[in-house]
Amino acid sequence: MTAISLGIPTVPTRLAERRKSRQIQVGSVAVGGDAPVSVQSMTTTRTSDIGATLQQIAELTASGCQIVRVACPTQDDADALATIARKSSIPVIADIHFQPKYVFAAIDAGCAAVRVNPGNIKQFDDKVKEIAKAAGDAGTPIRIGVNAGSLDARLLKKYGKATPEALVESALWEASLFEEHGFRDIKISVKHNDPVVMVEAYRQLAAQSDYPLHLGVTEAGPAFQGTIKSAVAFGALLSQGIGDTIRVSLSAPPVEEIKVGIQILESLNLRQRRLEIVSCPSCGRAQVDVYKLAEEVTAGLDGMTVPLRVAVMGCVVNGPGEAREADLGVASGNGKGQIFVKGEVIKTVPESKIVETLIEEALKIAEQMEKDGVASGEPTVAIGA
Ligand code: SF4
């Protein structure tokens, strides 16, 4: 029987079905298939400094990072991998450039995966058989990480520059070499610093293979620019169902990358939203200092782990509407704030009491949510119109 449409449009929760990719296991984290899109970052410490690296991994883990990558440019770094992989509470991926010997060291060290750059590992193609054997025996997946800045010389000559086609051909060529040896425990990235080229490369790659994809805009820049570039590029791809794990690259502390990555996933409903502050941008009608109010409420609710939506609105134009839609809200005006809980006005308080009242009510709602077993997570804040 065909369902009859009553003509009432529904509110979409997702923009697209996920692309069907094969699933691999990076330590305890599944990547691809129906596994949730994971967020990863990379340490900035010398990997050979085990204490500092583990400290940074702990900070990343606390911020929500699910997989961490560490650089391995020297033998001292390779020697540190076993301890780091063992002591880290999230899977550790060794990032290998230039020296194939470190690929074997990383596999022996028990890293959860190894990232190789086919464009700059010496005689990489000749080593694939050995790498496939070692990785296959250890059950270690490989990320084929193609990067525009270090594209294979042969492809650079063929295409003249790092075009989407060149990036994809490089990745699929390397994957085919592994496949010849029966190894398919692979994920792929084709990074470029230009979101347009990057998006097109991943679209082509997604159409041509079923490997799970690690998304990244490489060298995206300082925090503001890198955040925008990554949000635009990841948004374009994730909204089409493309992407299985993401790394935001910022010239900023890695914890910032995780915050941005998580916010991108939450914005697309690919991850449950947590604390969300819906605050207006303010305008000439505002009757309170919206920025101050939003900041004070955000600070007061820092650490909240339930998906609470709090509306902070400057006047009565959109205020009551947004405040009603949220779990909790305030619509301000005439030196007072109408406080809404679950759509009902529960009280009207003087402006000086708005923040403390909102925090007090938020804590009550959060307590109830926790009792009801509503999923929890680290807090984030979305400031919007
Ligand atoms: S709710 Fe809208 S109209 Fe009212 S102050 Fe905020 S931005 Fe201006």
Side-chain angles (χ1 to χ4, degrees):
M1 200 176 85
T2 336
I4 299 167
S5 164
L6 297 175
I8 301 169
T10 53
V11 178
T13 52
R14 295 268 172 100
L15 288 166
E17 286 295 309
R18 286 274 296 284
R19 159 182 169 264
K20 290 198 183 346
S21 58
R22 61 173 48 235
Q23 190 170 85
I24 64 166
Q25 198 67 35
V26 177
S28 56
V29 178
V31 175
D34 57 2
V37 179
S38 48
V39 179
Q40 52 178 290
S41 184
M42 189 165 178
T43 51
T44 55
T45 52
R46 298 251 171 256
T47 304
S48 54
D49 185 343
I50 295 175
T53 303
L54 284 170
Q55 173 62 31
Q56 198 173 53
I57 292 176
E59 287 162 15
L60 281 165
T61 307
S63 72
C65 181
Q66 294 167 285
I67 297 173
V68 67
R69 192 153 41 106
V70 299
C72 185
T74 69
Q75 188 59 47
D76 285 347
D77 299 314
D79 293 342
L81 290 176
T83 307
I84 292 170
R86 197 176 64 249
K87 293 198 171 170
S88 167
S89 51
I90 54 175
V92 173
I93 300 182
D95 189 74
I96 313 292
H97 295 262
F98 304 112
Q99 298 268 18
K101 66 178 179 181
Y102 297 141
V103 176
F104 298 103
I107 293 170
D108 288 346
C111 288
V114 180
R115 179 271 170 117
V116 296
N117 181 341
N120 66 18
I121 292 198
K122 286 174 200 148
Q123 290 140 7
F124 187 75
D125 292 1
D126 304 337
K127 298 279 179 198
V128 167
K129 184 176 178 185
E130 268 179 86
I131 293 173
K133 168 90 174 69
D137 289 350
T140 311
I142 301 277
R143 166 154 73 94
I144 296 175
V146 175
N147 199 309
S150 49
L151 185 64
D152 188 299
R154 177 177 66 86
L155 292 162
L156 202 50
K157 197 166 166 214
K158 177 174 169 185
Y159 288 93
K161 58 176 150 178
T163 61
E165 291 74 14
L167 298 170
V168 172
E169 186 173 328
S170 174
L172 291 181
W173 164 255
E174 293 304 330
S176 76
L177 296 181
F178 278 101
E179 285 162 13
E180 271 177 28
H181 301 291
F183 186 87
R184 297 205 68 195
D185 206 3
I186 292 170
K187 63 182 167 128
I188 297 181
S189 61
V190 280
K191 299 190 182 181
H192 197 288
N193 63 43
D194 181 336
V196 175
V197 180
M198 176 272 194
V199 168
E200 183 53 27
Y202 276 98
R203 278 185 185 152
Q204 292 183 15
L205 185 57
Q208 292 176 48
S209 87
D210 70 346
Y211 284 118
L213 301 182
H214 161 122
L215 302 187
V217 176
T218 189
E219 293 106 27
F224 178 74
Q225 176 188 294
T227 298
I228 303 283
K229 276 189 172 187
S230 301
V232 167
F234 294 4
L237 290 163
L238 292 168
S239 65
Q240 295 179 336
I242 298 170
D244 300 290
T245 181
I246 61 172
R247 192 265 168 117
V248 174
S249 300
L250 301 178
S251 304
V255 164
E256 298 305 312
E257 299 183 345
I258 297 303
K259 288 187 197 163
V260 173
I262 289 174
Q263 189 70 63
I264 291 172
L265 295 182
E266 288 184 5
S267 299
L268 289 166
N269 273 345
L270 290 170
R271 184 177 279 225
Q272 173 152 34
R273 292 183 188 166
R274 297 164 295 176
L275 173 65
E276 189 177 7
I277 307 287
V278 179
S279 61
C280 81
S282 188
C283 74
R285 282 189 203 90
Q287 292 168 347
V288 288
D289 183 342
V290 179
Y291 302 166
K292 187 161 165 269
L293 202 55
E295 263 171 31
E296 286 176 1
V297 174
T298 302
L301 296 179
D302 186 31
M304 181 145 294
T305 58
V306 291
L308 187 74
R309 191 175 163 93
V310 182
V312 179
M313 306 298 286
C315 78
V316 292
V317 172
N318 292 323
E322 288 288 1
R324 261 188 219 110
E325 289 293 310
D327 296 302
L328 171 66
V330 60
S332 316
N334 293 330
K336 293 181 199 142
Q338 272 188 321
I339 307 291
F340 289 75
V341 171
K342 308 279 180 196
E344 302 291 331
V345 178
I346 58 153
K347 60 177 100 162
T348 300
V349 297
E351 196 177 318
S352 60
K353 299 274 180 208
I354 291 175
V355 173
E356 65 178 77
T357 310
L358 282 177
I359 292 170
E360 200 180 288
E361 293 301 326
L363 294 176
K364 279 191 218 160
I365 300 172
E367 198 182 316
Q368 191 57 46
M369 281 177 159
E370 271 159 15
K371 272 191 201 143
D372 297 344
V374 176
S376 64
E378 290 295 310
T380 59
V381 173
I383 306 280

